[in-house]
């Protein structure tokens, strides 16, 4: 697969990735937990920070959907620390990369962009899915358990690829293995 360009870090310190869906109780929490696990496995926990939020504020402060939590637990991940947050315009200045789950999330996030550089920080989470680059992560909220299993497979594939790219990029940055 061709190399996908990641935005360069806005500031020194950790590279910050925000994962965004609608409610921040199903898809983006699953992506958050899986991506954070991949980051840790790659030895990048002190170089990459993962956060997540929803474009809607309905569930702010709540844990993730029990179906999302059960799917993660069964696969060996810890869903317990999640509390839902809402995406706000200020997040563009706090993070380097905003990864959205579907086209509606993307337009909702882009509607909050208020600086020329902000749109370039936004990408689809599945831009990094080798199986179907650029596809949406479908909303499993109104469906059955199969939908959560499918979301898990999508976020696992995408997270592995994204972390490989982050490792390459961070190796070129000051503070990385080759940057001193
Ligand atoms: P998510 O799924 O965006 O993946 O967290 C949803 C969660 C809640 C609702 C819709 C989608 N809702 O309508 O409350």
């Amino acid at each position: 697969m061709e190399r996908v360009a990641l935005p360069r870090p806005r500031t020194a310190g950790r590279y910050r990735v925000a994962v965004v869906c609608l409610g921040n109780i199903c898809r983006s929490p699953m992506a958050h937990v899986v991506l954070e696990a991949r980051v840790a496995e790659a030895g990048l926990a002190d170089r990459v920070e993962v956060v997540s939020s929803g474009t809607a504020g309905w569930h702010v402060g709540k844990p993730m959907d029990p179906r999302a939590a059960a799917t993660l637990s069964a696969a060996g991940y810890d869903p317990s620390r999640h509390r839902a947050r809402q995406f706000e315009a200020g997040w563009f200045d706090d993070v380097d990369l905003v990864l959205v789950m579907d086209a509606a999330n993307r337009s909702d996030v882009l509607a909050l962009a208020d600086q020329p550089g902000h749109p370039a920080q936004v990408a689809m989470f599945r831009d990094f899915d080798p199986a179907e680059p650029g596809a949406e992560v479908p909303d499993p909220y109104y469906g059955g358990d199969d939908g959560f299993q499918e979301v898990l497979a999508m976020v696992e594939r995408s997270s592995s690829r994204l972390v490989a790219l982050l490792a390459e990029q961070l190796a070129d940055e000051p503070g990385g293995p080759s940057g001193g």
Side-chain angles (χ1 to χ4, degrees):
M1 178 190 275
E2 73 198 63
R3 178 166 174 159
V4 182
L6 297 173
R8 294 181 65 83
R10 298 165 59 84
T11 56
R14 294 209 286 179
Y15 194 97
R16 287 169 297 180
V17 180
V19 194
V20 179
C21 64
L22 175 59
N24 194 216
I25 57 169
C26 297
R27 292 166 292 175
S28 61
M30 293 179 73
H32 181 166
V33 166
V34 169
L35 182 56
E36 210 163 57
R38 292 287 191 276
V39 164
E41 286 161 19
L44 294 173
D46 58 348
R47 306 218 52 211
V48 178
E49 180 178 355
V50 183
V51 292
S52 68
S53 61
T55 56
W58 308 313
H59 303 285
V60 166
K62 294 192 193 142
M64 72 177 81
D65 185 288
R67 298 165 295 174
T71 304
L72 286 174
S73 293
Y77 300 95
D78 174 13
S80 67
R81 294 195 312 276
H82 181 73
R83 295 296 177 272
R85 304 171 68 188
Q86 184 171 16
F87 186 86
E88 293 169 0
W91 284 49
F92 281 114
D93 298 321
D94 291 338
V95 306
D96 300 297
L97 179 61
V98 180
L99 294 177
V100 296
M101 295 290 152
D102 63 29
N105 306 151
R106 180 171 53 201
S107 49
D108 288 343
V109 159
L110 288 175
L112 295 171
D114 58 7
Q115 296 291 325
H118 287 169
Q121 290 172 244
V122 182
M124 294 285 271
F125 195 81
R126 291 185 73 196
D127 283 352
F128 306 96
D129 184 351
E132 203 179 339
E136 299 189 330
V137 180
D139 188 346
Y141 186 68
Y142 295 105
D145 290 342
D146 284 3
F148 287 85
Q149 208 57 52
E150 285 167 14
V151 169
L152 179 64
M154 292 168 187
V155 302
E156 284 187 321
R157 288 194 304 264
S158 305
S159 295
S160 295
R161 174 81 180 137
L162 173 58
V163 169
L165 289 168
L166 282 166
E168 280 177 30
Q169 165 138 351
L170 293 172
D172 300 336
E173 296 292 334
S178 62

